[in-house]
Amino acid sequence: MNIRHDLDSTILTRLLHKDSSALKQMVDSYSTLLYQVALRITGDKRVAEQVLCEVFRDLWENPNQYTKIKDKFLSSYLIKLCKLKCVDREEIHITRLLSKKSKNYVANNATI
């Protein structure tokens, strides 16, 4: 029997019942780890904080998503979710940059 897994299960059950103290407990337990992961990937403190908020908002709004995942530990699931959110943000950022450069290129090289 794993104490951490049992604790995660208990907190998850409380989250399913919208117990806000369970969310606070999750934030207290995992925010430092997830912030470090997000900061390492994005390299930007502000973006890392935004990702962290998104991860915990998703956990609050959809705690049943974890029950569909085969990760044994909630921490593994949260780290994966954090990484995916970071990658999504980077993809959006790159798309915006490319779109902006494309528009500038077309505007500068258009012929009538």
Side-chain angles (χ1 to χ4, degrees), residues 49-92:
E49 290 169 359
Q50 290 171 348
V51 167
L52 191 62
C53 289
E54 289 176 21
V55 168
F56 287 116
R57 185 185 64 234
D58 280 3
L59 184 63
W60 175 254
E61 292 175 355
N62 302 304
N64 56 345
Q65 285 298 106
Y66 173 70
T67 60
K68 298 175 185 174
I69 307 299
K70 297 194 190 274
D71 287 324
K72 183 174 181 180
F73 296 104
L74 187 55
S75 58
S76 301
Y77 169 73
L78 292 173
I79 290 169
K80 287 178 186 176
L81 183 59
C82 182
K83 288 178 178 181
L84 288 171
K85 293 208 171 287
C86 288
V87 170
D88 286 346
R89 282 186 162 267
E90 292 300 309
E91 287 176 352
I92 290 168

Side-chain angles (χ1 to χ4, degrees), residues 28-41:
D28 291 345
S29 296
Y30 293 109
S31 61
T32 301
L33 171 66
L34 297 176
Y35 177 77
Q36 290 172 345
V37 169
L39 183 60
R40 187 174 303 144
I41 293 170

